[in-house]
Amino acid sequence: MALVVQKYGGSSVADAKSVKRVAKRIAEAKRAGNDVVVVVSAMGDTTDDLLDLAAQISPLPPKREMDILLTAGERISMALLAMATNNLGIKAKSFTGPQAGVLTDAAYGKARIVDVVPHRIRTTIEKGQVAIVAGFQGVNRKEDDVTTLGRGGSDTTAVALAAGLGADVCEIFTDVDGVFTADPRIVPTARKIHRVTYEEMLELAASGAKVLALRAVEYARRYGVPLHVRSSFSGAPGTLVSGTYGDLIDPNAPDGDKEEDVMEDPLISGVAHDRSEAKITVTGVPDKPGMAARIFEVVAASGANIDMIVQNVSAASTGRTDISFTLPEGSGPSALAALRDVKDEVGYENLEFDDQIGKLSLVGAGMKSHPGVSARLFGAVRDAGINIEMISTSEIRISIVTRADSLDDAVRAVHTAFGLDSADGEAVVYAGTGR
Ligand code: ADP
Ligand code: ASP
Ligand code: MG
């Protein structure tokens, strides 16, 4: 008998009919002899709707109240799903994040899980019942307040419970058949990836592939939880996320450079895109030691996580330079305010804010040992007539910034240039609004 944690995303439980359909899948897994723990997201776009509602009430709502509001979404779906499962003759009980023992720090809106003490979930399993847990939420023990784990956080709840319970597998059920070489909503010819390492999935998720939340992948890697990403709308096998690049290297290969002998190792695992960042440019910064340090100290203190940074060569005649960086769009206003406060101290000339940017990232562990990847990427973007505004790289990723309205074309061009297009028909998107 296996212990399975199944997570169903919002688009899988968007309405009453879908809730009943998911209940059937849960019943099948239980009747097949497994112990089943389910994590469920809020129905459809409920979380976005609640955010919109709050914005109509208050421009800057207290974070504590915001979290109490948002956790309501998952409480609705967990109770309905438990009712639907009971209707099928399978005993099921729903639990909020706090009841399930998901303990977090106090960072409302982006709380980190610090421990999982799933006593009630264990007792439920021991009674032969299905435990249905509200995703995306926990409790901050110090204040005894509910917290949320950041967007997409139900994935993290599922992985954390799977680790805490020692589950055999954590299945992430969503509205596409697995992790693809690009978002199927943008690239219909995207190909399903059968297996991907934690390392590559981390880069994909960090670069905007929202099929898995970044923290969930980090957690899975740390605790060695294998993930199976698949569709709740089909029976097709999905994508296995597990292992490291080293595991793919054939131990029986003749000696020499083992990386050369990686079996079936694709050069590129995928192309991710991200529309959620903005760019700030500080113009006319005096080109002398300490200025960049001061600018980024101030931005960091405003709570922004900086992604890419570009500093232009200073014009010798003026002794001044421009510094641009990207950050999450939502962090823009506070970062700008913080920079305005030090305008005289730093002596820069101007601040520009641009939220019409898009980021494309090419990810693949194989690119470590292959020259010419950047040249091919830049060539593809050039041939599509798209301008590159910023570039950054890591060992297994190259990212570029373009205009937001060119991003989809850039993703398709790069996907084709690396031979990732599938010949066997279009990738299916079963549901969801892509919001
Ligand atoms: P859920 O509601 O199940 O949590 P999400 O909307 O969070 O679903 O994630 C699934 C979506 O992720 C897909 O519908 C797809 O549009 C998007 N996505 C982005 N990049 C990828 C990718 N590389 N492979 C598959 N899906 C992707
Ligand atoms: N409902 C939350 C969100 O929309 C959590 C999740 O779906 O994973 O971000
Ligand atoms: Mg999700």
Side-chain angles (χ1 to χ4, degrees), residues 33-58:
N34 300 299
D35 283 333
V36 183
V37 173
V38 174
V39 172
V40 67
S41 293
M43 296 170 78
D45 290 334
T46 301
T47 307
D48 289 296
D49 296 342
L50 291 172
L51 284 166
D52 290 349
L53 197 57
Q56 290 173 45
I57 303 281
S58 170

Side-chain angles (χ1 to χ4, degrees), residues 7 9-12 41 155 173-176 178-185 208-211 273 429 431:
K7 178 256 170 177
S11 53
S12 296
S41 293
D155 294 342
F173 284 96
T174 185
D175 53 13
V176 289
V179 181
F180 284 73
T181 48
D183 186 340
R185 285 179 207 272
K210 70 165 186 159
V211 62
H273 71 281
V429 178

Side-chain angles (χ1 to χ4, degrees), residues 279-280 282 295-296 298-306 325-342 348 351 353:
K279 179 170 77 172
I280 291 180
V282 191
I295 286 173
F296 290 110
V298 164
V299 174
S302 79
N305 276 325
I306 289 160
F325 57 90
T326 62
L327 74 178
E329 200 180 324
S331 305
S334 46
L336 287 169
L339 283 169
R340 269 184 218 114
D341 287 347
V342 294
Y348 66 81
L351 282 181
F353 183 67

